[in-house]
Amino acid sequence: MRQLRRLTVLLDFFFGTAGPLFAQLPITQLQSVFPPGGQAGTEATINIVDGTDLDELSGIVFSHRGITQLERPDPTTNPRSFPVKIAGDVPAGYHSVRVEGRFGVSNSRMFRVESQPVVTHEEKDWQNNQPLVLAIDTVVYSRCEGRADIDEYLLTVPAGEWREIQLDCLPLDSPMIPTIELFDPSGRRIAYSRRTGDLEPRIRFQAAVAGDYRIRVFDFLYAGSNSHTYRLLATGKLAPTTVEPPVMQTEGSTEYRGKSAPTDQPAVPLQMNPVGSANQTVLAGFINPREILVPRQTVQLTEPEGATVLRSLPITGKLLVTEQEPNNELAQTQEISGDCEVVGYFNEIDDIDRYRIPVQKGDVLWLQLFAQRDGQLLDPLALLEHVTVDANGKETRKAVNVPDDIATNLVPNVFDTLTDDTDFNVTAPEAGWYDLTVRNRYAVLDEQSSSHYRLRVSPPEPGFQIYAYSQPPVVGKLAADTPAGCVARRGGTALIKLAVSTTHGFNQGIVVEAPHPPPGVQIPAVLIPPGTTTANLVLYASPDAPVGFAELQLIAKSVDPQTLEDTGLVAAQSVVPVELVAPSQANDPAVSRQGHQLVASVIEPPAGAHYQPQNAPLVQVVTQSQQVWAPVTIQRAEGFADKVTLKAEGLDKNAKVVVETPEIAKDATSSKVRFQFNADTKAGWHTCDLLGEATVQFVRNPPALKRAEDDFAKLTELVKTAAEKSKAAEAGVKTAEEGLKAQQTALAQQKDALEKAKGTVSEITSAIAEIDQKIGAAPDDAAKAELQKTKDTKQSERTAAEAEVTKANTAIQQIEAQVKDLTARVAETKKAAETAKAELAATQPKLDAAKKALDKAKNDQKPAAVKQMDYCGRLVFLVQKAPLKLTSKSGSEVKLSKGESLEVEVELARDGDEKFPAELTFTLPPGLSGLSWAPVSVGPEDKTAKIRLMAGADAPSGKHSLCTVRAVCQQGEQTLAVDAPITITIP
C-alpha cells in the first residue's frame, strides 16, 4: 500500500536483474498463482501470475480430484485465468496446483483450501493510504506487489478479548519473508513478529482497550513482486500451540491434549482425525527436507469448543514414554527400556534431562534424538556414559563418543538434509547400563519456541525411505535445482531424481520401479546400491506416446544387490514426492519441501536426437582389468542429422575407471561407450549415467506460424474482396451519374422542344386570329374563301404543333421519371460505395495487424540453435577383485596378415594356491570384423595357454587397438572375466 521510496535504489542494487539467458529447449515452469487458495464449496478464478514458457496454457491441474476446472479455454488465446470449483468435501489444508501448456505440465505450487470465508485484495483496494478493515475469521489473500510495499489493516477488538493474527507465506511457496507489526488504538506498537526458521509469524494478544488495532504487513527485506503472496487471518478461536504427545502412534490409542494462550491455562483434550489418504495427500504446511526424513501424517486437532488446527505429526510405532521431571540430577535419572520412545521437554533455559538404559553385554542400541526433524528450533546435545558395577559394588563410568550432528546431506543445495539432531549406535561392552544426558546446546527458550524433543531407543531396525523430484536437463538457465515439471518430448526422455535416506545401518540394495507407467512411456527399474544416496530414474516416451499427463506411482523395495532377490528386510513402500520451490541463491541452498504427487507429461514437439532404452541389466558384475562396452541407440527427429556428443556422469573421480564416450557422427544412429576397469580400480559399487548432448535447430511453435500465415491469407483475401467491391461500387456510381447526366440533357432538350412547339402553336394561333379578322373584312366571298383556305392550312399546322407539345410533355414526364430513378440510383450507388470503402478501411488495419503478427511469428519461429540434453540410461557396476592376472606373452601388439592365423600365448597367474578352470576368448571393438577364433579351455592348474586368431580376406587393414584376450572363469555363482589388452595390426 505505502511505498518507502528511499529504499528503491538500494533494493535495485541488491535485487538486480539476472544476466543474459542461454538458449535451451523450453519447459513449463510455474512461479505463482493468485489467489493461492479458496473456500471449500465455492467457485473462484485462479490467475497465473508468473512463470516461464507458459505458452498456450490449456488447463490448471490440482492434486485433489475435488478441485476442478470449470471451463476449457482456447490455448491459442494465451489464457492466464481459469475458473475453478472447490467441492465442499475437499479437506481444509494445502493441496498443489500446476498448469498444463504447450511445453508440458509444470512444477507445483501450494494451494490452500479454507473452511472460512475468503477475500482477496489487490493494490488498488487501498485508497488514499487508508487501511482496510480486517474481518474476524475471514482469510485474506493479498500481495506485497512492489518493493517496500506495506499493507495496513484495521481490526476491531472488544476490550479483554483474545485475538491471534496469522501470517503465512512459506507454506504458499511465496518468496516473501513475512513480518507483522501490531499497534493499539493509541498508535503504540505493542507486538512484532517475523519468520524464525520455518516458523511463520504469529501474534496473540488480549485487547487492553476496545478499539481499532492497526496491523502492518510487509516483507522483512522490503522486497516485493506479484509473487510475494501472503495469507492473513485474524481469529478469536485460539487453537492449541502445543500438542501432547507431539507424535502419532500407529499402535493402540492415544489421548491428545493441547495448550493455548493464555499460557497459564490447563491443557484441554483434543480430538485427532487423520487428513488425506494414500492417493490424496493433504499437507498442513511447509515440510522441509529435514522434516521429510521422518514419516509424517497430517492430522486435524479439534478442541471441545470447536477450535481446530492442522498439524503434521511424526509417526511412531514405539511404546511412548513421557519425560518425568525432575530428572536434572544424577540421582533423579529416569530409567527407560531399550525399545521405546521418550517425549522430553526443555522447561527451563538450563534444563537437563537424564535417562538410564539397562543393557547386557553385546546389546546393540540405536539412539536417536529428534528435534529439527520434528520442526523444533532446538539443537539437542547428548552425552553418554557406559556404567558397570563390579562384585564389590564399585561403579565404573566410561564416556562414549557421541556423534554431534547428522552430517549426511542427501543432495547438497537442492534437497538439504543437514540437521543438528543426533543419530548413532552403541554396542554394550559389558552388562550394566547407559546414562544419557540430553540438553539444548544453545539454551534458548521462549514462549513461542517449540521446546520438545523425541528420544528413540531401539535395537537395530534397518530401513530406508526414497524421495523423488523431477529434474530438468541441466543446460542453459535450467539447473539441477530449477523448479520444473517432469516433461518428455515424444521419442525423448525425462528424469526423476531419487534421494535415499537409510536408518540403522541399512546396507542392502534398493530397487525402484514404476508398476503402472503412463501409456507409451517406459520407466526401467533402477538399482540403488548400498551406500549410494542418489539415483536417476529415466522415463522414455515412445514416438507415438499419447500427449498428456499422468500421476506416477513409484515403489521401492529392498533386495540383495547382487542377486536382486527381495530380502524382505523392509516392506515395499511408496516413494515420497518432493517439490523444488526456489533455486539456490548466493549462499542459500535451494528451497525444497514435501510434495503431493509426481506428475509426468508427454508433449508433441520433438527435437533433435532421442535415446532408446537398452534394457541393460540392473547390475553388471565386472572385474578389475575388464573392458565393457555399453550400447547407445538414438532416434533422430526428422531433419536432424548432426553429431551427438555422449557424456558419462556420476563415476567417482578416484575410482580409476576410464570412460570413452565417442562422438556419434552425422546420420549415425548407434554407438558404444567403453568402460575400462583397471587392475587397480576400486572394488565395489560404481554407478554411471549416460547423457547425450546435441545442438539442434529448434522452432518454438510451428503451429503458431501456420495460424499467423492463415490469418494473414484470410485477411488478405478479405481486403482484396473489399477492394474489388469498392471498385465495383465506384464504377456503379460513375455509370449511374453518366446515365443521370444523359437523361438530364435529354430532359433539357425535350423542354426546349416543348417551348419551341408551344411557341409555334402560339404563332399559328395568332396567325389564325389575324386571318379571322381578315375574313371578316373581306370584300367578297372569293376573298373569304381564299382566306378560309389559308386558315384551314394554319389550323392543320396548329394541330400538328399541338401534337408536338403533347409529345414533348409526354417525353418530359418519362424523362423526369427516369431522372428521379437515376437520382435515387446514384444515391444508392454512392452509399454502397461509401459502405464498401468503409469496409475496406476497416479491414486494412486488421490486415496490417495480421502482417505485423505474421512478421513477429516469423521472427519468433525462426530456427534457433539450442542445446538439447537427454539421459540415455543408468549403469550400475559391481567391480570384483580379479581372480587371476592375465598377461599376453606374445606382447601387447601382434601382426596378422589377411588370410593367415597366429597363436597368441597368455599367462594366467591365479592367487595363491587357487585352482580353477578358465576359457580363453577374444573381444573386439565395435565395428571390427573379419577376425575369428575358437575358444580354448584352460585347465585348473594350467598357467599358460594359446588361442589361435584368424584374419579373413575381408579383415580391414590398419592398426586395431582396444582388442583383448579374455579369460572367463566361474567363481561361486558368478561368471567373471579378466582382460589383457592387445593391438592387432593387419597390413
Side-chain angles (χ1 to χ4, degrees):
M1 182 183 71
R2 301 190 319 181
Q3 303 294 326
L4 301 185
R5 304 294 183 188
R6 64 182 181 274
L7 291 179
T8 302
V9 174
L10 181 63
L11 290 171
D12 283 337
F13 174 79
F14 280 108
F15 300 98
T17 57
L21 299 179
F22 294 94
Q24 61 201 26
L25 290 175
I27 184 172
T28 305
Q29 301 169 56
L30 178 63
Q31 175 65 27
S32 62
V33 302
F34 188 83
Q39 184 181 9
T42 66
E43 295 180 2
T45 297
I46 307 302
N47 299 296
I48 310 306
V49 175
D50 197 10
T52 303
D53 298 323
L54 301 176
D55 301 41
E56 298 183 4
L57 298 184
S58 58
I60 187 166
V61 182
F62 293 88
S63 59
H64 197 285
R65 290 185 290 270
I67 313 175
T68 55
Q69 183 176 333
L70 291 175
E71 299 174 4
R72 201 76 176 175
D74 179 1
T76 62
T77 62
N78 200 30
R80 288 295 181 268
S81 296
F82 297 88
V84 301
K85 180 177 181 179
I86 307 171
D89 59 352
V90 177
Y94 289 93
H95 305 265
S96 70
V97 57
R98 305 171 189 262
V99 291
E100 181 185 11
R102 176 174 179 78
F103 301 115
V105 173
S106 72
N107 55 302
S108 78
R109 285 298 185 236
M110 286 281 213
F111 184 87
R112 182 175 173 111
V113 172
E114 308 281 2
S115 56
Q116 303 103 321
V118 171
V119 297
T120 61
H121 288 312
E122 305 274 359
E123 188 69 21
K124 60 182 175 59
D125 295 334
W126 280 270
Q127 299 292 331
N128 302 319
N129 288 338
Q130 294 300 308
L132 298 178
V133 173
L134 182 60
I136 192 76
D137 290 322
T138 297
V139 176
V140 173
Y141 285 107
S142 190
R143 295 177 284 195
C144 285
E145 298 176 18
R147 293 178 178 177
D149 189 8
I150 299 177
D151 293 348
E152 293 191 351
Y153 298 86
L154 287 181
L155 177 66
T156 303
V157 188
E161 291 196 7
W162 283 85
R163 292 290 184 267
E164 177 175 284
I165 304 171
Q166 304 173 4
L167 184 60
D168 293 304
C169 292
L170 188 60
L172 297 173
D173 295 337
S174 169
M176 180 173 163
I177 304 175
T179 310
I180 319 173
E181 290 181 324
L182 178 66
F183 299 81
D184 67 12
S186 69
R188 181 173 62 93
R189 193 177 87 168
I190 59 173
Y192 170 89
S193 181
R194 71 176 179 89
R195 179 187 299 152
T196 304
D198 290 344
L199 299 180
E200 297 293 77
R202 299 288 187 264
I203 292 178
R204 288 194 173 193
F205 71 101
Q206 187 177 26
V209 296
D212 292 336
Y213 287 75
R214 185 161 53 96
I215 301 168
R216 286 161 49 100
V217 174
F218 55 94
D219 181 81
F220 181 70
L221 296 177
Y222 292 104
S225 72
N226 285 335
S227 297
H228 278 61
T229 308
Y230 63 82
R231 172 185 183 267
L232 179 65
L233 173 66
T235 179
K237 300 176 182 177
L238 304 185
T241 56
T242 61
V243 177
E244 301 173 2
V247 64
M248 178 179 175
Q249 282 188 288
T250 57
E251 302 294 335
S253 59
T254 305
E255 292 185 1
Y256 290 88
R257 300 184 69 81
K259 196 170 186 179
S260 182
T263 56
D264 58 352
Q265 296 298 311
V268 298
L270 299 174
Q271 180 182 352
M272 189 272 287
N273 291 310
V275 180
S277 61
N279 57 0
Q280 292 279 251
T281 302
V282 182
L283 298 180
F286 181 86
I287 310 298
N288 66 40
R290 295 186 302 273
E291 295 171 320
I292 307 176
L293 295 177
V294 180
R296 314 184 74 83
Q297 171 66 52
T298 299
V299 299
Q300 184 182 61
L301 299 165
T302 306
E303 289 186 355
E305 295 183 358
T308 61
V309 63
L310 281 177
R311 284 290 176 86
S312 176
L313 295 182
I315 298 173
T316 183
K318 295 292 181 185
L319 170 68
L320 211 56
V321 177
T322 302
E323 176 210 354
Q324 299 299 317
E325 290 280 6
N327 60 353
N328 283 37
E329 303 300 330
L330 185 61
Q332 299 170 331
T333 300
Q334 179 180 347
E335 185 170 311
I336 59 176
S337 73
D339 192 8
C340 70
E341 190 161 307
V342 181
V343 178
Y345 297 88
F346 294 127
N347 299 313
E348 307 267 341
I349 289 180
D350 57 352
D351 193 9
I352 298 175
D353 297 337
R354 299 180 184 273
Y355 303 96
R356 177 164 295 171
I357 311 163
V359 293
Q360 297 298 319
K361 182 178 180 179
D363 283 354
V364 179
L365 292 179
W366 279 85
L367 294 94
Q368 298 171 275
L369 282 169
F370 298 89
Q372 284 192 336
R373 286 176 290 177
D374 283 358
Q376 311 303 298
L377 299 177
L378 300 175
D379 182 359
L381 177 64
L383 302 176
L384 188 67
E385 292 180 310
H386 180 254
V387 185
T388 57
V389 180
D390 62 17
N392 297 321
K394 182 181 178 181
E395 188 176 281
T396 301
R397 292 180 170 270
K398 184 177 180 180
V400 179
N401 183 39
V402 176
D404 187 7
D405 300 330
I406 299 176
T408 301
N409 200 1
L410 295 184
V411 190
N413 295 322
V414 177
F415 186 64
D416 243 330
T417 56
L418 292 177
T419 170
D420 292 334
D421 290 355
T422 302
D423 194 329
F424 66 101
N425 69 303
V426 292
T427 301
E430 298 292 342
W433 66 84
Y434 284 104
D435 276 348
L436 176 67
T437 302
V438 181
R439 67 179 67 195
N440 185 22
R441 178 187 297 276
Y442 298 110
V444 176
L445 193 67
D446 60 61
E447 289 186 359
Q448 290 195 356
S449 294
S450 299
S451 60
H452 82 260
Y453 62 88
R454 289 186 298 131
L455 167 63
R456 181 180 295 171
V457 182
S458 70
E461 297 174 345
F464 68 88
Q465 181 61 66
I466 308 292
Y467 310 93
Y469 58 92
S470 59
Q471 186 180 87
V474 180
V475 59
K477 293 292 288 184
L478 295 175
D481 57 1
T482 299
C486 179
V487 180
R489 285 177 162 76
R490 275 183 162 179
T493 66
L495 183 69
I496 296 290
K497 193 76 175 182
L498 305 175
V500 185
S501 173
T502 60
T503 56
H504 293 195
F506 178 86
N507 65 348
Q508 297 295 305
I510 303 170
V511 168
V512 178
E513 56 189 1
H516 306 292
V521 176
Q522 294 185 56
I523 309 179
V526 296
L527 170 68
I528 305 175
T532 305
T533 58
T534 61
N536 293 327
L537 187 70
V538 183
L539 288 71
Y540 300 85
S542 65
D544 58 352
V547 172
F549 68 94
E551 182 177 356
L552 290 181
Q553 296 293 336
L554 302 181
I555 303 298
K557 60 183 180 181
S558 62
V559 298
D560 181 299
Q562 296 189 39
T563 65
L564 302 180
E565 295 180 356
D566 193 334
T567 63
L569 180 64
V570 181
Q573 55 189 264
S574 296
V575 170
V576 178
V578 169
E579 193 68 43
L580 301 186
V581 176
S584 58
Q585 295 183 357
N587 294 324
D588 295 328
V591 179
S592 53
R593 58 164 171 81
Q594 182 176 347
H596 293 83
Q597 58 188 173
L598 290 169
V599 174
S601 56
V602 176
I603 61 176
E604 174 66 34
H610 298 300
Y611 309 91
Q612 301 304 305
Q614 295 298 308
N615 297 318
L618 289 181
V619 58
Q620 298 184 56
V621 179
V622 299
T623 61
Q624 296 166 331
S625 82
Q626 187 174 346
Q627 179 177 250
V628 174
W629 297 88
V632 175
T633 303
I634 69 169
Q635 177 176 338
R636 295 179 177 273
E638 184 178 354
F640 178 75
D642 290 346
K643 67 179 183 180
V644 177
T645 302
L646 296 177
K647 293 184 176 182
E649 293 183 350
L651 280 171
D652 185 350
K653 294 181 180 179
N654 299 319
K656 297 184 178 178
V657 179
V658 177
V659 184
E660 290 184 0
T661 51
E663 184 179 277
I664 301 177
K666 290 184 177 183
D667 293 319
T669 58
S670 65
S671 183
K672 287 188 177 182
V673 178
R674 187 176 79 93
F675 291 85
Q676 177 64 63
F677 298 92
N678 297 330
D680 58 349
T681 295
K682 182 180 177 181
W685 294 96
H686 300 269
T687 59
C688 178
D689 295 296
L690 297 181
L691 300 87
E693 181 182 281
T695 299
V696 300
Q697 295 298 316
F698 178 73
V699 178
R700 187 178 184 88
N701 194 342
L705 176 59
K706 180 65 168 57
R707 289 194 298 270
E709 290 173 340
D710 290 345
D711 289 344
F712 180 72
K714 180 180 178 180
L715 285 167
T716 299
E717 188 62 31
L718 287 175
V719 168
K720 180 181 177 182
T721 301
E724 291 175 350
K725 185 177 180 181
S726 178
K727 183 178 180 181
E730 290 291 344
V733 170
K734 183 178 180 180
T735 301
E737 287 180 338
E738 289 176 350
L740 176 60
K741 184 177 180 181
Q743 290 300 321
Q744 287 174 336
T745 301
L747 178 62
Q749 291 175 347
Q750 288 297 327
K751 285 183 177 181
D752 289 344
L754 175 63
E755 292 303 320
K756 184 177 181 180
K758 285 182 178 181
T760 302
V761 170
S762 177
E763 290 176 357
I764 295 174
T765 300
S766 297
I768 291 174
E770 291 178 358
I771 293 173
D772 284 337
Q773 290 178 357
K774 289 179 178 181
I775 289 174
D780 50 36
D781 290 337
K784 287 182 180 181
E786 188 62 30
L787 288 171
Q788 186 62 43
K789 185 177 179 181
T790 301
K791 178 182 178 181
D792 291 341
T793 300
K794 290 295 183 183
Q795 285 178 335
S796 296
E797 290 177 355
R798 186 174 67 180
T799 299
E802 287 176 344
E804 288 297 324
V805 169
T806 301
K807 181 179 178 183
N809 278 325
T810 301
I812 288 172
Q813 289 176 359
Q814 292 175 348
I815 293 174
E816 284 179 340
Q818 292 177 358
V819 167
K820 183 178 180 180
D821 290 342
L822 286 172
T823 300
R825 183 179 175 187
V826 167
E828 289 176 359
T829 55
K830 284 184 176 181
K831 185 177 180 180
E834 289 174 358
T835 300
K837 188 176 181 180
E839 290 177 356
L840 178 61
T843 308
Q844 186 62 50
K846 295 179 181 179
L847 177 62
D848 295 340
K851 178 63 167 61
K852 187 176 180 180
L854 177 59
D855 291 341
K856 184 179 185 303
K858 286 180 178 179
N859 185 65
D860 292 345
Q861 306 310 322
K862 285 181 179 178
V866 301
K867 289 289 186 183
Q868 179 191 354
M869 184 80 76
D870 272 309
Y871 277 80
C872 311
R874 178 176 176 81
L875 300 174
V876 177
F877 299 104
L878 175 57
V879 179
Q880 301 279 34
K881 185 178 181 299
L884 56 84
K885 182 178 180 181
L886 184 67
T887 307
S888 172
K889 297 186 69 175
S890 300
S892 60
E893 294 189 20
V894 297
K895 185 176 180 180
L896 177 61
S897 299
K898 297 181 181 181
E900 296 182 356
S901 66
L902 63 81
E903 284 188 333
V904 177
E905 184 176 8
V906 297
E907 182 178 22
L908 299 88
R910 300 174 180 84
D911 287 341
D913 297 328
E914 290 286 330
K915 297 178 181 180
F916 50 84
E919 183 179 75
L920 287 185
T921 184
F922 271 97
T923 71
L924 302 178
L928 179 57
S929 60
L931 296 175
S932 60
W933 60 90
V936 174
S937 295
V938 181
E941 299 183 7
D942 293 342
K943 296 182 179 180
T944 61
K946 295 180 180 180
I947 182 170
R948 182 169 293 280
L949 180 65
M950 295 160 285
D954 59 342
S957 300
K959 194 172 186 178
H960 305 291
S961 60
L962 305 182
C963 304
T964 72
V965 182
R966 172 169 290 179
V968 181
C969 57
Q970 194 73 22
Q971 297 287 292
E973 295 182 357
Q974 293 182 334
T975 301
L976 302 181
V978 180
D979 291 337
I982 187 171
T983 298
I984 303 172
T985 300
I986 302 176

